[in-house]
Each structure stands twice: as C-alpha cells, then as structure tokens.
Amino acid sequence: MGNEQSVGGGGGPRGSLPQGMQAMGSQLQKKFAKGVQYNMKVIIKGDRNTGKTCLLKRLQGGAFVESYTPTQEIQAASIHWNYRASDDVVKVDVWDVVDKGTASQRKRSGSLKLQTDDLSPEADPTAPSLDAGFLDVYKNTNGVILTLDICKAWTWKYVQREIEVVPPHIPIIILGNFRDMGEHRVVEHEEVEYFIRALERPDDAGEIQYAEVSMKNAFGLKYLHKFFNLPFLRLQVRL
C-alpha cells in the first residue's frame, strides 16, 4: 500500500499508524467528508434459528458465531453502503426483527441487563417487549430480507406467509441460509423461484429476489449488497 502506511508523509514513529491499521485513502476521505446523504431502513425477518442475528453481525463485519442464542428483542445496527460508483454515502439502519419477544422474562431473571432497562425491584414484569407485535416494523421500511433455512421446510412456509404481509411497494430478498449444508436441503432453489414467479402483485410492486447464502463462510452475501440497490433507487424517486 506504499505511502498509505503513514500520516502526513512522515516515516518516523510519530507518523506511523498502529499495527494492523491503514490510513483512509483519498477517495474514502472525499466520500465521508460529504457526510451521509441518504438514510435507508432494511429489516431482517424470518423464523427462529434461520440466521437473522448472525446476518446482522456479518453486515457489520463480524465473524461467524457457531452457537445459537435466541434474540429476545428487536436489535438494530447502522452500516454504511455506497450505491455503485457514486460518492453518495448511504446509512442503512438494519433491524433484526423478533416476532415475539421475551423482554419481560429477561427483566425478571436479570440474565441480560441493558442500560435502558428499569432494573429496580418495582420494574413491571409485564412490560411490553420490543418485538413485531409491539412495533409496526414495516413503517418507513425501504427493503425486507426474509431468511429461511434450506434444511427446514417450516422456515420456508414462514416466508411464504410473511410475503403476503409485506407492503407490496417494498423490495424483498429471500435468503436461503445454510448453503454449506446443501446435502441436507429440503427446500429447492427452483421451488422458491417458481413461487416468486407465480405471485400476483401490482404492476408497481417492489421486486422479489432469491439468493442462497451461508453465514458460516459468507457465501452469497455479495447478492445482498447488490439488493440494496433496489430500495435505494425507490428511495431516490420518493425524495
């Protein structure tokens, strides 16, 4: 990387970056100097244990985690994404949606404490959870990611039901996760594609795509970044 290893052109210890870090290139500096031009909301929805939380971590650059821990409430994170060769910086708020949360159980047991929790003995154990039953997760949503496990037929049934609930103007990508376990698949690629083609939707409905991925080895995640083009273009039209 040559002269990107030091700041201000200095080659001495004061000009060097910490080991493992590189200076931000001039192109990136130019992009981020302009700030965030667009805000986009994308939600991840699917049956339990289909890789929603792992996908959220992957989008943030995190590593694959083998163990499964049920997510108790809606989680959200922001990532930066660029539209093709544009200099525009897009902040994508990604929601990991939980259909039925267990926040009240968490507050009673104290197994997980968040700074925003009321941890006093008088805390209401019946307080609502931040889940899809409490919030309208599709409000102001620009794109939807529906996850399924290609080795579990009922997770595909979940996706088929949920597509009917998604407002038709919102683009959707269906992610068939656990591609690395393909020898155990029960949901065929062709079956999903046929279902999508057979759907009756308005002429101006958002596009529905399908891709198979693996959170374990990050296979297919490039399709997700390409999918972001669809909700972004619709967002531009509205603005």
Side-chain angles (χ1 to χ4, degrees):
M1 302 294 288
N3 57 9
E4 288 188 353
Q5 298 300 319
S6 60
V7 177
R14 296 187 63 180
S16 300
L17 287 169
Q19 184 177 2
M21 295 183 64
Q22 295 180 352
M24 183 181 290
S26 59
Q27 292 299 320
L28 281 178
Q29 289 181 27
K30 180 181 178 182
K31 287 181 180 180
F32 283 97
K34 296 171 61 178
V36 174
Q37 281 76 50
Y38 299 94
N39 287 277
M40 193 164 70
K41 175 186 170 185
V42 175
I43 71 169
I44 307 172
K45 216 166 184 297
D47 211 339
R48 288 189 175 273
N49 204 9
T50 54
K52 299 186 299 294
T53 301
C54 194
L55 174 58
L56 182 64
K57 292 179 179 177
R58 278 294 199 184
L59 288 173
Q60 297 175 82
F64 173 74
V65 178
E66 188 77 41
S67 60
Y68 170 64
T69 303
T71 303
Q72 296 174 323
E73 291 184 298
I74 292 174
Q75 307 293 315
S78 294
I79 62 173
H80 285 122
W81 171 82
N82 291 98
Y83 173 63
R84 296 177 181 173
S86 170
D87 285 339
D88 291 336
V89 178
V90 183
K91 184 168 78 73
V92 184
D93 294 322
V94 185
W95 289 25
D96 172 12
V97 175
V98 175
D99 285 332
K100 186 173 179 58
T102 56
S104 59
Q105 296 177 10
R106 166 174 55 79
K107 291 178 181 178
R108 286 198 298 269
S109 65
S111 59
L112 178 63
K113 298 180 178 64
L114 302 178
Q115 291 181 351
T116 54
D117 284 344
D118 179 2
L119 299 178
S120 66
E122 294 79 18
D124 182 4
T126 63
S129 302
L130 293 177
D131 57 23
F134 182 70
L135 298 174
D136 179 5
V137 297
Y138 290 114
K139 183 178 181 179
N140 299 323
T141 292
N142 304 106
V144 174
I145 303 168
L146 296 177
T147 59
L148 66 92
D149 180 345
I150 63 172
C151 304
K152 298 174 182 175
W154 63 87
T155 66
W156 167 223
K157 295 294 184 183
Y158 176 103
V159 169
Q160 294 177 68
R161 293 192 303 269
E162 192 63 29
I163 282 181
E164 301 298 329
V165 180
V166 180
H169 69 277
I170 302 178
I172 301 170
I173 185 169
I174 303 171
L175 292 186
N177 193 17
F178 297 95
R179 180 64 181 79
D180 54 293
M181 301 288 289
E183 66 274 16
H184 301 295
R185 72 156 65 237
V186 295
V187 180
E188 297 296 335
H189 191 291
E190 295 77 11
E191 179 184 357
V192 181
E193 293 283 4
Y194 177 80
F195 173 82
I196 294 173
R197 290 195 301 270
L199 284 172
E200 295 184 2
R201 291 166 61 82
D203 293 338
D204 60 346
E207 185 176 339
I208 302 178
Q209 299 181 346
Y210 177 61
E212 295 194 344
V213 298
S214 168
M215 295 301 110
K216 187 172 185 179
N217 57 28
F219 173 84
L221 291 184
K222 63 180 180 180
Y223 297 115
L224 187 55
H225 286 275
K226 291 181 179 179
F227 165 75
F228 285 167
N229 292 327
L230 298 178
F232 176 69
L233 290 174
R234 282 186 167 251
L235 176 62
Q236 279 192 317
V237 171
R238 282 182 20 221
L239 297 177

